[in-house]
Amino acid sequence: MTDLRTALGEAVAAAFAAEGVDAALARVTTSDRPDLADFQSNGALAAAKALKANPRELAGRVAERLAADPRLSAVEVAGPGFINLKIADAALSARAAEVASDADHAGASPVAAPRKVVIDFGGPNVAKPMHVGHLRSAIIGESLKRLFRFRGDDVTGDAHFGDWGFQMGLLIVACGDEGLADGFMADGDGPFPAESPVTLGDLDRLYPLAAGRAKEDPAFRDRARKATAELQGGRPGYLALWRHFVAVSREALVREYGTLAVDFDLWNGESDADPLIAGMVVDLKTKALLVEDDGAQVVHVARPGETRKKKLADGSVVEAPSPPPLLVVSSEGSAMYGTTDLATILDRRNRIDPDLILYVVDERQAEHFEQVFRASILARYAEPGSLEHLGFGTMNGTDGKPFKTRAGGVLKLNDLITQATDKARDRLREAELGADLDEATFEDTAHKVAIAALKFADLSNSRTTSYVFDLDRFMSFEGKTGPYLLYQVVRIKSLLRRAAEQEAKAGLVAISEPAERDLALTLDAFDQAVVEAYDKRSPHVIAEHAYRLAQAFSKFYAACPVLAAADPATVGSRLTLSKAALDQLVIALGLLGIDAPERM
Ligand code: ARG
């Protein structure tokens, strides 16, 4: 199944080739004058230059070759040598029928060679509060996971849980001091209590206190450091307590992510890479990659000449390697964030052996990933090109700083969702939507509207841009918003319900009206949008397509009566088009991680 643009692209390339032009110059794009044509090729301009020919004449000869193509109803040369192509109604109808019959993929093609892909996203931490970076990672990562899977890749989404390191030592000491860890603090093999009294509330409360205290109280900080080292060294009581912290934290996170329709195939954590670190350090030494630097052990990752100016503590400026060396073992002998990421590459190779790992993490960590990727390629832990950091900008508050929830504190996912759901309820009532729904269904609808608003607002921006959190705008039923798209879905569903009640049947597609053509062309363009979103790792392209499709349907519905059409054949054709639009819209929204309600 090929989309029209690709199919025409091949025909146009063949016609250009017959005129002695390199096929690469013969690109077909969507027309920028939809009133004149559906597609266009500007290839004659560049080709004429290369051949020292007259572009209009060359375009004329190519057009003549294309004129006999039954899929085209008009081929015209315009301006200095553009070739305008208009699709014949029959060819457009056939393509729309093809999309309509493809209920699972709505006309989108799979990848030619499926790969094993790990997507590292979410990245929440035990007890440490979430911030907008975690939220965006969850939204974007979930969408990419669905998109890659949709195209046939074997995808594993891994939360890469922050379950190791200093914060765990802080919690152990803090719980011990509060008498919440009695029985676990004993030095020895146990037995330890079967259960710990520590709750999620304790973790949330104790972490900020302990983190604050560690900054001011060196003795406390040292105890926490020691506890961290002992935990990592395998002290049984600490491990038992740690397992409890991880379980409590994870259970709450799974629930919160669930509310956001985000889930992970794996909840591997930073701790999973820990057993591999010692061997890896030896290996890096053997490969002569690990060098001593001021008491620490580092891997140099900058190439000769890659430097930048760096200010030293004494105020002097030197040329320092850029990116800076990857810190593998600190001067105190501990493994670092980068060490864990490097070892996790080995761990994933052992467990999954992926062809590609995508890291959906805040743009601010770009240098960290550059260091890790370079080190892992130097050490031959990964193939060049098999690791990609997909950075993203921040979601800001109106003050231009990373968004915080009402309380002013850090982001609480639940608070955010509650706030959005409250607003969704108000908006539905204002718009007099959902008035005839029972209470549970209304609640479910409000929740879906809220999630659609949050996710669509995020994904309709390109990944790298930062945007401002503006719930009022996100929640509007008009404009490029999640709620608008859900409203269109519900409209089509209700049309199809009415059709079923009247026993009107979907039938052969026969396109003639401009609004029908437009809808069919939009349905056809989904494949290209999916490919582009996939290639650029950019859900934004799908969001854009979904919005265009909703608009095309809306115009079609306004211009072309469906159930009230003049004859049963037209009713049937328009019902098939409506059904195709619904399927594609639902699939596109699904790729964004957005679920639509039945009614509103
Ligand atoms: N837990 C980390 C943080 O909160 C994010 C983890 C991202 N993934 C990774 N492989 N480093 O910043």
Side-chain angles (χ1 to χ4, degrees), residues 114-157:
R115 290 177 294 180
K116 250 192 236 173
V117 182
V118 168
I119 307 188
D120 179 318
F121 72 107
N125 301 306
V126 172
K128 277 204 246 175
M130 280 204 211
H131 53 70
V132 289
H134 296 113
L135 175 70
R136 289 209 70 191
S137 174
I139 292 176
I140 298 168
E142 176 69 26
S143 175
L144 290 172
K145 185 186 77 183
R146 294 176 183 216
L147 174 62
F148 275 63
R149 202 165 272 164
F150 178 67
R151 298 207 68 212
D153 285 321
D154 175 0
V155 187
T156 308

Side-chain angles (χ1 to χ4, degrees), residues 23 37 49 61 67 69 118 126 141 145 152 163 180 264 286 302 307 391 467 480 513 537 558 562 580 586 597:
K49 212 176 255 170
R61 288 200 299 278
D69 193 315
V118 168
V126 172
K145 185 186 77 183
D163 63 354
L180 286 169
F264 302 92
T286 317
T307 59
Y467 66 96
K480 207 191 264 188
E513 294 297 316
R537 287 84 166 99
V562 178
V586 168

Side-chain angles (χ1 to χ4, degrees), residues 204-389:
D204 283 350
R205 177 176 56 85
L206 290 175
Y207 176 76
L209 289 177
R213 189 167 161 202
K215 286 204 184 101
E216 281 145 27
D217 178 350
F220 182 79
R221 184 172 59 230
D222 287 344
R223 282 167 58 218
R225 282 217 180 114
K226 184 153 169 270
T228 309
E230 285 180 340
L231 168 71
Q232 299 190 347
R235 178 169 163 163
Y238 286 4
L239 275 174
L241 194 58
W242 167 79
R243 262 182 225 110
H244 174 74
F245 294 162
V246 171
V248 166
S249 215
R250 177 181 147 158
E251 194 190 295
L253 284 165
V254 168
R255 210 174 333 113
E256 290 197 29
Y257 281 122
T259 329
L260 196 61
V262 168
D263 80 345
F264 302 92
D265 306 296
L266 285 181
W267 274 83
N268 284 354
E270 295 178 6
S271 63
D272 287 284
D274 193 65
L276 296 170
I277 289 178
M280 183 180 82
V281 168
V282 173
D283 181 64
L284 291 171
K285 273 193 190 133
T286 317
K287 290 178 174 151
L289 289 169
L290 207 59
V291 296
E292 172 92 26
D293 180 4
D294 225 358
Q297 319 239 27
V298 303
V299 175
H300 281 281
V301 294
R303 289 180 274 270
E306 279 186 316
T307 59
R308 66 163 175 226
K309 297 215 177 337
K310 188 180 156 188
K311 210 169 174 177
L312 297 182
D314 65 5
S316 59
V317 174
V318 294
E319 286 290 319
S322 171
L326 177 74
L327 185 54
V328 177
V329 185
S330 77
S331 51
E332 284 157 355
S334 22
M336 311 302 289
Y337 183 46
T339 322
T340 305
D341 266 319
L342 201 55
T344 301
I345 291 173
L346 289 174
D347 190 38
R348 287 178 177 151
R349 202 172 73 175
N350 294 342
R351 295 180 201 234
I352 300 173
D353 197 22
D355 303 299
L356 180 66
I357 309 181
L358 303 176
Y359 296 81
V360 187
V361 188
D362 212 320
E363 187 57 35
R364 288 173 292 187
Q365 296 195 25
E367 184 170 80
H368 163 78
F369 285 107
E370 188 61 33
Q371 293 172 304
V372 170
F373 295 174
R374 286 182 181 220
S376 73
I377 285 160
L378 287 169
R380 301 192 188 287
Y381 297 163
E383 297 290 324
S386 68
L387 304 169
E388 283 178 38
H389 171 222

